Amino acid sequence: MAQNLDALRLALQHSPDNAPLLVLFADGCLDEGLVEEAEQTFQRVLQNDPAHADARLGLAHVALLQGKTSQAAVRAEQIIADTPACAAAFILLARIHITEGDLPKAKAMYDQGIALNRSLADPGIEKDLHGVKPSEDDGAGRKRAAITSGGSYMESAKDKEDDDDGHPRGGAAFDLGLAEMEKPKLNFAGVGGMEALKEEIRMKIIYPLQHAELFKAYDKKVGGGVLLYGPPGCGKTLISKATAGEIKANFIAIGLHQIIDMWIGNSEKNMHEVFELARRNAPSILFFDEIDALAADRRDLRQSAGRNIINSFLMEMDGSESDNDGVLILGATNAPWHIDSAFRRPGRFDRTLFVPPPDEGGRAAIIEVMAQKKPIAELDPRALAKKTDGFSGADLKAVFDLATEEVLNQAMKTGKVIPLTTKDLIKAAGRHQATTKAWFESAKNYAMYSNQSGFYDDVLKHLGLMKR
Ligand code: ATP
């Protein structure tokens, strides 16, 4: 396959705008795990032909592989909205719902895809969905955002008029009540490994918040923004929540869906409400997952509908109109290279934390935490950790899920609980591919060639390309 890719690369030098060639090449990149290159290639196709279905589907696939399931779902749903007969989009949506653990919805999507095109039948998916009844919801409940060629979220004509519940747009649709806020019980003890990162968080976040009076005496503000970046599934969300738990602060998580709602709803008002909620409940942590959906460096977007929301976010963050004392804004991203430099100015996301994949000791600790929730006969966390180099926390969770499925199949036959063993887990690990390697391939290029003000030093150190 790598040879084919080389041949395609050569062909593209002669015919750089050839859409079928580009799609073939991008699909090949996906097969080889070159996710970033695939993403760039699909985007090239869309620059010339914004409606190109295969390229749009490709980007949805990329998002799924990057662990951005919400974004993948929104992209796939948009394709279906525009091209209701696109069987492959239904199948991809089924895969996304399986990843999200919503099997009935996955089944509904899969059945629709197969009804449109039987040749897309996928034995792997069928195994996952065996015996599952399809949900009656066709998946349209998810708020849709139109996605334009550059991959940016834009207002769609339909969404401007109504939201999916038929409510007219205008602010009330984005209902952010206290239900969205919690004081997490999770603290650092519930997060396996990550000792160096925990220490960094103590120094950069926890001590300043705990000693706010001391900081005030020196006329220094407490709070501000910290950008967490790293490969998918390595615990950015988990450690953010645990940080709130550690200092008994309120935790308000804003996910991609809410960001998208803000794009298509009454953005400034909603953004203000979110920040006000955090301010009223300080000390609080306001966590923006997949912040690149908001902070991406896309000039076209900044000149259009997106400008308002970006400006209102920056204004709220600067606290020019209100006081953000005691409000810590955490932004998580897998693609820090897409973050606009305006977001990294002093007073905004001026501190960064690299959240790396766990090392062997870290994996052993995560494995111990995960094993607490399962019936285990005997566990050698070190042995499993040795066999899972490059695995993220989410990968390890997938290993536990795979092993559990296997044992459950046997347990169902006997009707008795069969505890998991280290051997079951090691076997399952052999069936799972580490998801962090592709990320480092992209990150390495950025770290080596655009490491302004040492932003990627931690990545270079992790890769052994810079002294610790
Ligand atoms: P993404 O970039 O895809 O949003 P993320 O970096 O925010 O991912 P999380 O969502 O925090 O990653 O982690 C994914 C899952 O992996 C968690 O729900 C948890 O089950 C597991 N996990 C990751 N790291 C750890 C850890 N250190 N200890 C225990 N579980 C972990």
Side-chain angles (χ1 to χ4, degrees), residues 315-336:
M315 220 172 75
E316 295 293 341
M317 202 171 178
D318 292 345
S320 53
E321 292 200 342
S322 322
D323 190 3
N324 282 344
D325 232 13
V327 178
L328 179 79
I329 300 138
L330 296 184
T333 178
N334 300 332

Side-chain angles (χ1 to χ4, degrees), residues 188-198 239 358-359 361-366 369:
F188 281 175
V191 178
M194 298 185 145
E195 295 312 329
L197 184 68
K198 286 175 187 167
I239 196 82
D359 58 13
R363 291 197 298 279
I366 295 174
V369 170

Side-chain angles (χ1 to χ4, degrees), residues 183-415:
K183 263 208 169 99
K185 289 200 184 72
L186 180 77
N187 57 19
F188 281 175
V191 178
M194 298 185 145
E195 295 312 329
L197 184 68
K198 286 175 187 167
E199 191 49 31
E200 223 180 326
I201 290 178
R202 281 188 198 104
M203 298 305 294
K204 285 188 180 171
I205 299 179
I206 294 183
Y207 297 151
L209 279 175
Q210 281 176 340
H211 301 288
E213 292 310 313
L214 208 58
F215 275 67
K216 275 205 184 117
Y218 289 92
D219 195 27
K220 268 191 85 73
K221 286 202 162 212
V222 176
V226 179
L227 186 69
L228 291 100
Y229 75 97
C234 287
K236 294 184 287 296
T237 310
L238 199 71
I239 196 82
S240 301
K241 203 171 180 180
T243 303
E246 198 66 15
I247 49 175
K248 303 195 172 40
N250 289 301
F251 185 70
I252 303 165
I254 306 293
L256 186 64
H257 281 311
Q258 281 136 323
I259 295 180
I260 289 171
D261 276 2
M262 288 199 236
W263 281 111
I264 59 186
N266 188 346
S267 55
E268 294 93 329
K269 183 168 172 281
N270 294 334
M271 188 62 87
H272 184 65
E273 266 175 29
V274 169
F275 274 81
E276 276 299 302
L277 182 68
R279 288 172 192 131
R280 275 199 306 276
N281 293 284
S284 59
I285 291 184
L286 189 49
F287 175 73
F288 284 85
D289 200 5
E290 300 189 50
I291 185 85
D292 38 311
L294 192 64
D297 179 11
R298 290 176 186 133
R299 249 142 260 154
D300 54 332
L301 200 145
R302 286 205 279 145
Q303 281 158 14
S304 64
R307 198 172 51 193
N308 284 349
I309 184 163
I310 291 175
N311 286 345
S312 58
F313 177 79
L314 293 178
M315 220 172 75
E316 295 293 341
M317 202 171 178
D318 292 345
S320 53
E321 292 200 342
S322 322
D323 190 3
N324 282 344
D325 232 13
V327 178
L328 179 79
I329 300 138
L330 296 184
T333 178
N334 300 332
W337 37 83
H338 287 154
I339 302 282
D340 193 300
S341 56
F343 284 76
R344 304 227 310 264
R345 294 218 185 104
R348 296 176 180 169
F349 291 112
D350 49 10
R351 285 159 287 166
T352 47
L353 288 172
F354 172 51
V355 183
D359 58 13
E360 198 179 302
R363 291 197 298 279
I366 295 174
I367 290 162
E368 279 188 60
V369 170
M370 289 182 176
Q372 284 166 9
K373 295 181 197 140
K374 305 272 181 192
I376 303 272
E378 50 81 28
L379 180 72
D380 183 350
R382 283 272 159 191
L384 181 58
K386 268 198 175 36
K387 298 275 182 195
T388 47
D389 186 35
F391 277 46
S392 65
D395 287 331
L396 291 173
K397 187 163 178 283
V399 168
F400 271 86
D401 288 345
L402 276 172
T404 306
E405 252 173 52
E406 196 71 31
V407 170
L408 251 177
N409 282 342
Q410 297 166 28
M412 274 189 297
K413 283 180 204 147
T414 59

